[in-house]
Amino acid sequence: MTSKIHLDEQDGTVRLDDLTIEDHELVAYLAEHDATNREEAFHQALRIGTATLSLAETSKEVEHVKHEFEQMRSDFEAEIDDVREELDRRFGDDGEVSSILDRHLGPEGRLNRELDDVFGEEGLFARRLDEELGEDGERIQDALDPDREGTPTNRLREALRGEIRELSKQLQVEEGREEVRQRTTEKGHVFEDTVAQFLTDLVYGSSHSFDRTGEVIGELAESKVGDFVVTLGPTNQRIVVEAKSEQNYTQPRIKEEMREAIENRDADYGIFVSECESYVPNKVGYFREFDCEFLSVALSADEDDDVDSRLFNIGFNWAEMRAVQSHLDAGDDVDPEFVRTQVEEIEDSVSKFTNVKRKCSSIRKSANGIEESLDDIQGEVTTRLNNIVGEMSKSR
């Protein structure tokens, strides 16, 4: 039998052969439209019917899924109820686990009884403590008594006392060192101020100038060696001055520091100025030149002696002569023999000056000693006279 309905899925068309539809509702629906619009109305009715059928099929599928989901949830809740009942049976207040724990760990349980046998008031541990430590722990009290010789706490206390005493000694030594450092630093600053005043007096009214450079980094990396730099007006020669008020300066240390100062300040000559002759080695003394590079000069005999600016002036003039000498080309106009002779005579004069300076210091110390002796004699005489007056007053 040949079908009366022909479908073309590729073109999306439906062709009907000699089709008669008996449907009063469809007829009534199409009768409401004009003859010219009935074909379009028929097509619309077909489309609406097709869409309604598709929606009906989808609704059936949704209902099926919903039904299956509800069934799965019901089964799952049943499983959960079974698990909950099993947990309550095993772990509930009256469950198997609770019963086992109460039997072993409860107030009347096995573990509690065993712990009481060992650690209770009458237990094994308490009895053993009484045996080892004595009644009321008197043995442990004796063993921990810090006043009882030989006990651990006594040994610990003595060890701590020893450590404290050692720390106290170290602190006292360090405090003494710090006091010396501070005193030396303060004294060094005061002496630098004195040298600065000497330089101020020397350059006053001349073409020379000086700068205080002790806190300024020079040519060498992070080096501040060289307290003062004097610039000579006529030749722009530079003289570095290092002022020191420290004891026990060795000759190698003087050489090392002065050569570093000359290089650091790019100087032509240097002066090492010591506050006291007693601070430098005997072979350096009041006045000594090293390799025509720098000069060491001391300004006093010791800490009890006043610094002498005349020694500094001699040292500065000597340094100026050496700096100019290194700068100029003597040629035929300068007699080298004359210069050499003058330098030798200057050295002799300086030697005489320092000898007289030492004698003056010795005389001054002797005079001070004589004054102290006279004061002692006066005190003794006064005391004896007062004793005589007191003895004579008894006869009144």
Side-chain angles (χ1 to χ4, degrees), residues 13 24 28 97 118 173 198 226 243 269 287 337 342 346 348 366 375:
T13 60
H24 294 286
V97 174
V118 177
V173 170
F198 289 166
Y269 197 80
F287 195 96
E337 184 63 25
Q342 292 297 311
I346 291 172
D348 291 338
S366 299
D375 290 339

Side-chain angles (χ1 to χ4, degrees), residues 52-77:
T52 302
L53 289 174
S54 297
L55 181 62
E57 291 296 328
T58 301
S59 298
K60 290 180 181 179
E61 293 176 358
V62 170
E63 286 297 327
H64 177 72
V65 170
K66 182 178 180 182
H67 174 74
E68 292 296 327
F69 182 77
E70 290 293 334
Q71 183 62 40
M72 182 180 66
R73 185 178 66 178
S74 177
D75 295 341
F76 185 68
E77 288 178 351

Side-chain angles (χ1 to χ4, degrees), residues 73-110:
R73 185 178 66 178
S74 177
D75 295 341
F76 185 68
E77 288 178 351
E79 291 290 337
I80 291 175
D81 290 339
D82 293 341
V83 171
R84 186 182 294 111
E85 291 177 359
E86 180 66 17
L87 289 174
D88 186 65
R89 184 179 67 80
R90 292 184 178 274
F91 297 98
D93 292 340
D94 298 325
E96 295 177 1
V97 174
S98 177
S99 176
I100 293 172
L101 291 176
D102 185 66
R103 186 165 61 251
H104 289 277
L105 304 179
E108 302 298 329
R110 178 181 177 183

Side-chain angles (χ1 to χ4, degrees), residues 12-68:
T13 60
V14 179
R15 184 169 57 81
L16 307 176
D17 295 336
D18 299 330
L19 177 65
T20 300
I21 299 174
E22 296 180 1
D23 191 320
H24 294 286
E25 292 183 357
L26 176 61
V27 172
Y29 171 73
L30 294 175
E32 294 178 356
H33 296 80
D34 296 335
T36 56
N37 296 328
R38 284 176 184 168
E39 185 177 353
E40 178 64 25
F42 182 72
H43 289 167
Q44 184 177 8
L46 286 175
R47 288 195 295 271
I48 293 172
T50 302
T52 302
L53 289 174
S54 297
L55 181 62
E57 291 296 328
T58 301
S59 298
K60 290 180 181 179
E61 293 176 358
V62 170
E63 286 297 327
H64 177 72
V65 170
K66 182 178 180 182
H67 174 74
E68 292 296 327

